[in-house]
Amino acid sequence: MNRSIAPEFKQAENLDLVLPEEIVLENGISLFWLRDVKDDSVRLDIEWFAGSKYQHKKLVAGFTNKLLLSGNSKKSARTISEEIDFYGGFIQDECDKDHAAITLYGLRENFRSIFNVFSEAMLNCEFPDKEFEEERTIALSRFKIDSDKVKYVCQRTFNTCMFGENHPYGMVADEPDFIQLTREDLQQFYKTHYLGTIPVLFLVGNVDKTVIDDLRQWSASMSSQKPVFVKRDVKPVPGRTEIAKPEAIQSAIRLGRIAVDKKHPDYFGLQLLDTILGGYFGSRLMTNIREDKGYTYGIGSSVAVLEDSAYFFISTEVAKEVKENTVHEIYAEFDRLKNELIPADELERVKNYMLGEFLRNSDGPGAMMESFKNIWFNKLPVSYYSDFIHAIHRITADDLKNLAQKYFVKDQMVEVIVG
Amino acid sequence: MITFERFTLPNGLRVLFHKDETTPLAVVNILYNVGARDEVAEKTGFAHLFEHLMFGGSKNIESFDNPLQLAGGECNAFTNNDITNYYDMLPVQNLETAFWLESDRMLELAFTPKSLEVQRSVVIEEFKQRYLNQPYGDVWLLLRPLIYKSHPYQWATIGKEIAHIEQATMDDVKSFFFRYYSPDNAVLVVGGNTSLEHVRELSEKWFGEIPARGINNRNLKPEPPQQEERELQVEREVSSDALYMAFRMGSRMSPDHYTGDLASDILSRGKSSRLYHALISEKQLFSTLSAYISGGWEDGLFVVSGNLNPGVSFETARTEIWKELEKIATVAIEEKELTKVKNKFKTGKVFSEQSLMNRVMNIAFFEMMGKPDEINDELKKYDAVTADDIQHFCKRTFVKTNCSTLLIKAKK
C-alpha cells in the first residue's frame, strides 16, 4: 500500500435546506416552526428589533435585554428564575447592534410551564431598582476587566474608526455611561422596543398544539408596529490608530474596511476570497504568520454583515516586537492576491472546504433554523444557499484577483493596534 | 441512549462505531492515553506542544490539513492534564481520507526541524495570549502548585514556564512519540451513517500494520490528602480583587463526581442558586461568583471563585463564602432544590447529545476510562444522588484543612 497517495474523495453535496413552517400569530407576528426534531428538546428564540442602534443613550439596549426577567412588585427576579430553573429551563439573552433576543431552552414535558413563567414576567417587567443596581455593578466590573484586554480595546477602537464615533455602529460606552444610566431609560426602551414593536419567533421542537396556542395568546399582548430606524452614513477613518499599553506583552491588531452586504453581486466572491486569505486553518494568513513565522497563536479574517452596513476585517494578537512585521506581512498577502492568480489546487481546496462547511452549518434542525434566520433577517431569497454554492463552483481565479484589487486597497484600510 | 459497536485490532487499537443515520457527516475521533500528567517536572508543557506537532506533516503525507480540507473536512485537537484528543469532521463519503491521515501520523511523524521551531513559537504566543496577557490569566499557574505538592497535576497543560517550551528538542519529540503514540495506547471512535463492516475494513487497511509500541501503564503516586489550610496572595495589574478556593475531592471516576457536580449546581448554577442570591444579589459582595468541579481523572477539585465588589475585603468575602458552604454541609437540602438541579442537568444533557461530535467524544472518554457501557448510566447516577449524599459530601469536602485559597489583589 502506498501511503503517499490520497484515497478517492467526492465533493460534499448540497443539503437541501428544510424551511420552517410559518404561522401568523396575533398582531401579524410570525412564528417560524421546525417540528421534525428527534429528541425532546425545545428551543424558542424571540427576536426584537431592539439592538443597540435603536438606543438614544449608551448601554440602554443591552441592559434592557439583560433585565427583561427582573420582575415586578408581585414576583421577584429570584422567584422567576427559581421557577424556570425548577422546570429545567435555560434562558439566554443576547443583544447585538441590530437585534435583541431571548432564547428559551427546555424539554417538551415542561416547555409550556417555562414559557408561561417567561411570558408573565416579560409582559410585566418593572425593572426594580435593586436588580438594576445589581446589574450596573456587575456590568461595570466586567467592563473594567475587559478594558485590560488588548483584544477588547482594539475591537472597540476599530468599530469607532470604521463607522465614526457618532454612528450607532461605532458608538462605544465608557465608565461614565454606566453611572448615568437610569431605570427610567430602561422602562422607556422596553415600552417602545419590546412591548411597542413587533417581534419574530423561531421555534425548534416537536411540541404539541397547546404550545402554539400559548404563543398565540402571548402575541395578542404584543404590538404590530414595525420598527422605525433611519439609516445613517458611515464615516470610516482610514489609516493607523495606535494605543500604547506598556505593560502588555502582546499587541492586538485589527485591520479592515467597509464591505458589501449579502445581496451585492460581489458578496459570494468576497466570501471566497476572505476564506482564502484568513477564513480557515489553512488560510494564507495562518500559513504565513502562524505556521511559517510563528508570530501568533492565531490570525483570521471575516466579512461581518450588519443590517445597514458590512465590513471586512483581520484580527490577531502577536508578540509585541513583531507587530510591524505582522502588518507588513498582511499587506504582502493583499499584494499577492492582487498580483498573482490563486493556484488551481489551492482554489479547489478552499472551494471543497467551503462546501463541507455548508454541510456542517446545516446539519440538524437547530442549524437549519440558524440558516433560515440568516435568510429572513437579511431579506434574502430562499434559494440563497444554493445560489451561494453555485457561485462558489463558478468563481474563477481571475474573478478573485479582480476582487482583491477592488477591495484590498491600502488607502482605504482602517488599522488599529493596541499594546 | 447512545449505541455503539466495537472491535480491537491485533495491534491493540480499540475501535468503536456509533451509527447515526440522520447526518451526512462523519466524525473520526482518536483519543491518546497521554496528557500533561505524563510529563516530568523539568519538561512541562510537552504533551500540548506535541499535539501541535501532530499537524506538521507525517511520514508519507506532507500536510495534514490540506488533504482534509480538500475532502471538505476540518479538524482540531486538545490536550489536558489527562488526555490528548484529535478529531476530524467531514462528509461521510470521504471517511477514508480521515483514516488515511490519522493512521499515517500514528505510524510516524515527519519530525521536521522547521515544524518544531515554528510550533515552539506558536505555543509560546499561546502561552502569552491565554495565560500572561489576560487579566487573571495566570491563576491556574499559581493555584496548581499550591494544591498539588507531588502529583503532576501541579502544572498546567500549557506548562510551568515558557523556558520549558523553548528547551524542547527533537530527541524529546521523538521519544515522546514512540512512547505514547501507539495503537494500543489509543481509542478510535467513528460516528456517522456507515456500517461496522466498513469501519472494520478501513481500520484494518490503514491502522492494521502500525506496530504496537506498548500501553502507557502509568503508576502515579496519588497526592496525599491535604492536612493544612493553604493560602497564597499575589498582586496583579487587574481591576478588581479576586478569590479562588479549591477543595480536593474524588476523581471523575468516583461517586464524588456526581455528588460534587450537583452540589456545585445548587451553589452557583443560574440566578436562583445560593451563592448568586446571597452574595451577589443580597449582600452585594461579588460581581461574579461560581462553583464548579474540575473532573480530573486522577483527582478532583471543587472550586469556588469570584470577583469582589469595590470596597469588599478578602476577609468578609471569605467569611461569607464559608457561611454558605457550612450551610449546605449542615442544613438539610430541600427536595425541591435537588429536583431543580437534576432537571437542569437533564435538559443540558439532551441538548449536548444532539451533537454527533459530543456523542463520539464521550464514547471515547468512557472507553478510555475503562467503562464504556456506563456512558448511558450518567442520568441514572445523577438521579440516584440524595440530599443526604450531598450533605455528606459537603461536610467532608468543605473543611479548612482541605482548602487552598488564592487571593489576587488589584494593584490599581
Side-chain angles (χ1 to χ4, degrees), chain A residues 1 3-7 9-13 15 38-39 41-42 78 81-82 85-86 88-90 105-107 109 130 134 137-138 141 144-145 148-150 248-250 280-282 290-292 294-297 317-319 321 348-349 352-353 356-357 359-360 363, chain B residues 23-25 52 60-61 65-66 69-70 72-74 89 91 93-94 96 100 103-104 107 114 118-119 121-122 125-126 128-130 132-136 205-206 209 238-239 269 271-272 276-277 280-282 287 307 309 336 339-340 343-344 346-347 350-351 354 412:
Chain A
M1 182 168 60
R3 282 185 170 270
S4 58
I5 298 169
F9 65 87
K10 281 191 287 205
Q11 264 184 349
E13 279 151 42
L15 191 69
K38 304 269 176 297
D39 55 37
S41 69
V42 185
R78 187 188 192 202
S81 50
E82 190 85 54
D85 287 346
F86 182 75
F90 288 87
Y105 300 88
L107 299 182
E109 58 200 35
K130 189 173 156 298
E134 178 186 315
T137 309
I138 294 171
S141 166
K144 286 180 179 169
I145 292 171
D148 286 335
K149 299 176 183 165
V150 287
I249 56 171
Q250 278 189 322
Y280 73 120
F281 196 88
R290 173 176 145 138
E291 295 297 306
D292 184 58
Y295 289 167
T296 181
Y297 178 46
E317 281 154 87
V318 301
E321 55 279 11
E348 187 193 359
R349 187 173 77 235
N352 289 0
Y353 168 78
E357 197 64 6
L359 210 56
R360 283 185 282 278
D363 187 27
Chain B
T23 170
L25 296 164
H52 278 245
N60 303 290
I61 309 169
D65 292 287
N66 287 354
Q69 288 152 359
L70 188 62
E74 66 169 12
M89 191 176 216
Q93 70 267 23
N94 299 338
E96 187 162 7
W100 169 59
S103 65
D104 202 55
L107 181 70
K114 165 89 181 173
V118 168
Q119 292 309 318
S121 313
V122 170
E125 291 311 314
E126 180 181 1
K128 293 186 202 163
Q129 183 175 323
R130 296 176 57 184
L132 305 180
N133 208 35
Q134 292 296 332
Y136 315 100
K205 176 176 174 187
W206 292 106
E209 64 176 275
V238 289
S239 59
R269 193 167 195 175
K271 286 192 169 184
S272 74
Y276 191 96
H277 175 68
I280 295 182
S281 294
E282 290 303 313
S287 64
N307 288 83
N309 277 338
K336 196 177 171 191
T339 307
K340 176 185 84 172
N343 285 348
K344 290 207 87 162
K346 199 169 146 194
T347 306
V350 171
F351 276 93
Q354 287 182 331
K412 293 183 177 173

Side-chain angles (χ1 to χ4, degrees), chain B residues 137-173:
Chain B
D138 63 346
V139 158
W140 282 97
L141 302 181
L142 299 166
L143 251 179
R144 286 188 169 274
L146 189 66
I147 303 162
Y148 296 105
K149 298 299 174 191
S150 60
H151 192 276
Y153 274 6
Q154 68 188 264
W155 52 84
T157 307
I158 194 74
K160 279 184 189 173
E161 47 188 291
I162 285 180
H164 284 190
I165 297 158
E166 283 168 342
Q167 287 153 13
T169 67
M170 190 53 87
D171 283 346
D172 294 332
V173 172

Side-chain angles (χ1 to χ4, degrees), chain A residues 95-112:
Chain A
C95 181
D96 62 28
K97 294 181 169 68
D98 297 313
H99 308 111
I102 295 286
T103 303
L104 276 61
Y105 300 88
L107 299 182
R108 266 192 320 180
E109 58 200 35
N110 288 329
F111 198 76
R112 280 190 81 186

Side-chain angles (χ1 to χ4, degrees), chain B residues 303-314:
Chain B
V303 183
V304 180
S305 71
N307 288 83
L308 279 60
N309 277 338
V312 177
S313 71
F314 281 130

Side-chain angles (χ1 to χ4, degrees), chain A residues 25-29 46 48 115-116 118-125 190-199 201 212-225:
Chain A
L25 306 172
E26 303 302 317
N27 284 311
I29 294 171
I46 306 177
W48 284 273
F115 180 77
N116 288 331
F118 159 80
S119 157
E120 194 204 334
M122 181 268 145
L123 290 171
N124 300 294
C125 183
Y190 164 71
K191 282 200 188 92
T192 316
H193 297 283
Y194 283 85
L195 299 182
T197 311
I198 190 166
L201 282 64
I212 307 301
D213 293 340
D214 290 347
L215 295 176
R216 184 176 294 282
Q217 204 186 332
W218 174 79
S219 69
S221 312
M222 302 302 290
S223 165
S224 58
Q225 195 72 42

